[in-house]
mmCIF file of all heavy atoms in Angstrom:
data_model
loop_
_atom_site.group_PDB
_atom_site.id
_atom_site.type_symbol
_atom_site.label_atom_id
_atom_site.label_comp_id
_atom_site.label_asym_id
_atom_site.label_seq_id
_atom_site.Cartn_x
_atom_site.Cartn_y
_atom_site.Cartn_z
ATOM 1 N N ALA A 285 97.977 87.343 94.996
ATOM 2 C CA ALA A 285 98.027 87.888 93.621
ATOM 3 C C ALA A 285 96.906 87.438 92.786
ATOM 4 O O ALA A 285 96.309 88.099 91.981
ATOM 5 C CB ALA A 285 99.379 87.615 92.996
ATOM 6 N N ALA A 286 96.608 86.077 92.894
ATOM 7 C CA ALA A 286 95.497 85.502 92.103
ATOM 8 C C ALA A 286 94.124 86.118 92.576
ATOM 9 O O ALA A 286 93.273 86.474 91.721
ATOM 10 C CB ALA A 286 95.479 84.027 92.306
ATOM 11 N N VAL A 287 93.977 86.236 93.876
ATOM 12 C CA VAL A 287 92.714 86.797 94.398
ATOM 13 C C VAL A 287 92.556 88.294 93.995
ATOM 14 O O VAL A 287 91.546 88.673 93.398
ATOM 15 C CB VAL A 287 92.627 86.662 95.895
ATOM 16 C CG1 VAL A 287 91.467 87.472 96.457
ATOM 17 C CG2 VAL A 287 92.522 85.224 96.317
ATOM 18 N N VAL A 288 93.544 89.088 94.305
ATOM 19 C CA VAL A 288 93.479 90.477 93.860
ATOM 20 C C VAL A 288 93.362 90.699 92.415
ATOM 21 O O VAL A 288 92.626 91.497 91.889
ATOM 22 C CB VAL A 288 94.674 91.266 94.482
ATOM 23 C CG1 VAL A 288 94.758 92.722 93.964
ATOM 24 C CG2 VAL A 288 94.567 91.264 96.038
ATOM 25 N N GLY A 289 94.201 89.897 91.642
ATOM 26 C CA GLY A 289 94.146 90.023 90.169
ATOM 27 C C GLY A 289 92.807 89.731 89.684
ATOM 28 O O GLY A 289 92.263 90.386 88.774
ATOM 29 N N GLY A 290 92.153 88.697 90.186
ATOM 30 C CA GLY A 290 90.839 88.305 89.739
ATOM 31 C C GLY A 290 89.775 89.350 90.006
ATOM 32 O O GLY A 290 88.907 89.750 89.241
ATOM 33 N N ILE A 291 89.898 89.909 91.230
ATOM 34 C CA ILE A 291 88.923 91.017 91.588
ATOM 35 C C ILE A 291 89.078 92.225 90.766
ATOM 36 O O ILE A 291 88.093 92.773 90.241
ATOM 37 C CB ILE A 291 89.060 91.380 93.178
ATOM 38 C CG1 ILE A 291 88.639 90.181 93.991
ATOM 39 C CG2 ILE A 291 88.360 92.626 93.525
ATOM 40 C CD1 ILE A 291 88.957 90.340 95.496
ATOM 41 N N VAL A 292 90.309 92.675 90.642
ATOM 42 C CA VAL A 292 90.650 93.874 89.883
ATOM 43 C C VAL A 292 90.323 93.764 88.413
ATOM 44 O O VAL A 292 89.759 94.701 87.767
ATOM 45 C CB VAL A 292 92.048 94.397 90.137
ATOM 46 C CG1 VAL A 292 92.378 95.608 89.179
ATOM 47 C CG2 VAL A 292 92.294 94.758 91.564
ATOM 48 N N ALA A 293 90.605 92.610 87.843
ATOM 49 C CA ALA A 293 90.325 92.430 86.461
ATOM 50 C C ALA A 293 88.809 92.361 86.156
ATOM 51 O O ALA A 293 88.324 92.949 85.276
ATOM 52 C CB ALA A 293 91.013 91.092 85.936
ATOM 53 N N ALA A 294 88.132 91.669 87.028
ATOM 54 C CA ALA A 294 86.653 91.529 86.892
ATOM 55 C C ALA A 294 85.987 92.962 87.071
ATOM 56 O O ALA A 294 85.094 93.286 86.314
ATOM 57 C CB ALA A 294 86.072 90.542 87.910
ATOM 58 N N ARG A 295 86.446 93.650 87.992
ATOM 59 C CA ARG A 295 85.957 95.050 88.238
ATOM 60 C C ARG A 295 86.234 95.941 87.022
ATOM 61 O O ARG A 295 85.404 96.696 86.583
ATOM 62 C CB ARG A 295 86.606 95.625 89.467
ATOM 63 C CG ARG A 295 86.204 96.980 89.940
ATOM 64 C CD ARG A 295 86.795 97.417 91.147
ATOM 65 N NE ARG A 295 88.206 97.812 91.035
ATOM 66 C CZ ARG A 295 88.926 98.371 91.960
ATOM 67 N NH1 ARG A 295 88.385 98.608 93.175
ATOM 68 N NH2 ARG A 295 90.170 98.684 91.779
ATOM 69 N N GLY A 296 87.367 95.702 86.429
ATOM 70 C CA GLY A 296 87.739 96.482 85.191
ATOM 71 C C GLY A 296 86.874 96.113 83.969
ATOM 72 O O GLY A 296 86.784 96.965 83.056
ATOM 73 N N LEU A 297 86.300 94.895 83.963
ATOM 74 C CA LEU A 297 85.488 94.551 82.842
ATOM 75 C C LEU A 297 84.052 95.096 82.989
ATOM 76 O O LEU A 297 83.260 94.919 81.981
ATOM 77 C CB LEU A 297 85.434 92.995 82.704
ATOM 78 C CG LEU A 297 86.712 92.368 82.172
ATOM 79 C CD1 LEU A 297 86.574 90.839 82.226
ATOM 80 C CD2 LEU A 297 86.878 92.804 80.648
ATOM 81 N N VAL A 298 83.708 95.700 84.034
ATOM 82 C CA VAL A 298 82.374 96.237 84.296
ATOM 83 C C VAL A 298 82.445 97.767 84.160
ATOM 84 O O VAL A 298 83.253 98.389 84.861
ATOM 85 C CB VAL A 298 81.858 95.826 85.645
ATOM 86 C CG1 VAL A 298 80.495 96.458 85.938
ATOM 87 C CG2 VAL A 298 81.636 94.342 85.686
ATOM 88 N N SER A 299 81.606 98.296 83.404
ATOM 89 C CA SER A 299 81.524 99.760 83.223
ATOM 90 C C SER A 299 81.143 100.360 84.556
ATOM 91 O O SER A 299 80.189 99.966 85.183
ATOM 92 C CB SER A 299 80.503 100.118 82.162
ATOM 93 O OG SER A 299 80.385 101.516 81.979
ATOM 94 N N GLY A 300 82.006 101.255 85.009
ATOM 95 C CA GLY A 300 81.801 101.887 86.374
ATOM 96 C C GLY A 300 82.119 100.969 87.498
ATOM 97 O O GLY A 300 81.768 101.223 88.615
ATOM 98 N N GLY A 301 82.851 99.903 87.234
ATOM 99 C CA GLY A 301 83.137 98.872 88.247
ATOM 100 C C GLY A 301 83.919 99.450 89.408
ATOM 101 O O GLY A 301 83.631 99.052 90.612
ATOM 102 N N ALA A 302 84.834 100.374 89.183
ATOM 103 C CA ALA A 302 85.660 100.905 90.259
ATOM 104 C C ALA A 302 84.891 101.737 91.222
ATOM 105 O O ALA A 302 85.226 101.934 92.370
ATOM 106 C CB ALA A 302 86.847 101.620 89.686
ATOM 107 N N GLU A 303 83.788 102.340 90.711
ATOM 108 C CA GLU A 303 82.877 103.147 91.595
ATOM 109 C C GLU A 303 81.928 102.226 92.315
ATOM 110 O O GLU A 303 81.596 102.483 93.476
ATOM 111 C CB GLU A 303 82.076 104.170 90.710
ATOM 112 C CG GLU A 303 82.941 105.298 90.231
ATOM 113 C CD GLU A 303 83.818 104.836 89.006
ATOM 114 O OE1 GLU A 303 83.379 104.019 88.200
ATOM 115 O OE2 GLU A 303 84.951 105.281 88.946
ATOM 116 N N ARG A 304 81.549 101.195 91.752
ATOM 117 C CA ARG A 304 80.549 100.258 92.391
ATOM 118 C C ARG A 304 81.255 99.321 93.383
ATOM 119 O O ARG A 304 80.588 98.860 94.278
ATOM 120 C CB ARG A 304 79.807 99.462 91.326
ATOM 121 C CG ARG A 304 78.989 100.328 90.298
ATOM 122 C CD ARG A 304 78.460 99.593 89.153
ATOM 123 N NE ARG A 304 77.347 98.727 89.587
ATOM 124 C CZ ARG A 304 76.750 97.899 88.715
ATOM 125 N NH1 ARG A 304 77.122 97.804 87.445
ATOM 126 N NH2 ARG A 304 75.770 97.054 89.175
ATOM 127 N N LEU A 305 82.539 99.086 93.118
ATOM 128 C CA LEU A 305 83.295 98.258 94.091
ATOM 129 C C LEU A 305 84.574 98.927 94.328
ATOM 130 O O LEU A 305 85.600 98.709 93.558
ATOM 131 C CB LEU A 305 83.512 96.806 93.539
ATOM 132 C CG LEU A 305 84.159 95.788 94.467
ATOM 133 C CD1 LEU A 305 83.120 95.293 95.509
ATOM 134 C CD2 LEU A 305 84.766 94.677 93.658
ATOM 135 N N ASP A 306 84.661 99.828 95.298
ATOM 136 C CA ASP A 306 85.898 100.628 95.410
ATOM 137 C C ASP A 306 86.954 99.826 96.186
ATOM 138 O O ASP A 306 86.763 98.620 96.475
ATOM 139 C CB ASP A 306 85.562 101.912 96.219
ATOM 140 C CG ASP A 306 84.984 101.655 97.620
ATOM 141 O OD1 ASP A 306 85.129 100.550 98.143
ATOM 142 O OD2 ASP A 306 84.423 102.595 98.250
ATOM 143 N N ASP A 307 88.096 100.466 96.388
ATOM 144 C CA ASP A 307 89.233 99.712 96.970
ATOM 145 C C ASP A 307 88.974 99.137 98.308
ATOM 146 O O ASP A 307 89.450 98.080 98.676
ATOM 147 C CB ASP A 307 90.524 100.609 96.945
ATOM 148 C CG ASP A 307 91.175 100.670 95.587
ATOM 149 O OD1 ASP A 307 90.733 99.927 94.650
ATOM 150 O OD2 ASP A 307 92.139 101.499 95.468
ATOM 151 N N ALA A 308 88.233 99.883 99.097
ATOM 152 C CA ALA A 308 87.888 99.390 100.460
ATOM 153 C C ALA A 308 87.038 98.162 100.366
ATOM 154 O O ALA A 308 87.271 97.143 101.103
ATOM 155 C CB ALA A 308 87.145 100.547 101.257
ATOM 156 N N ALA A 309 86.072 98.195 99.432
ATOM 157 C CA ALA A 309 85.241 96.955 99.335
ATOM 158 C C ALA A 309 86.015 95.855 98.652
ATOM 159 O O ALA A 309 85.826 94.620 98.951
ATOM 160 C CB ALA A 309 83.988 97.329 98.460
ATOM 161 N N ALA A 310 86.926 96.151 97.723
ATOM 162 C CA ALA A 310 87.712 95.127 97.045
ATOM 163 C C ALA A 310 88.645 94.460 98.100
ATOM 164 O O ALA A 310 88.855 93.280 98.037
ATOM 165 C CB ALA A 310 88.559 95.780 95.913
#
Side-chain angles (χ1 to χ4, degrees):
V287 170
V288 171
I291 291 172
V292 173
R295 184 175 72 174
L297 284 173
V298 174
S299 181
E303 290 73 39
R304 299 172 71 182
L305 187 78
D306 61 18
D307 280 351

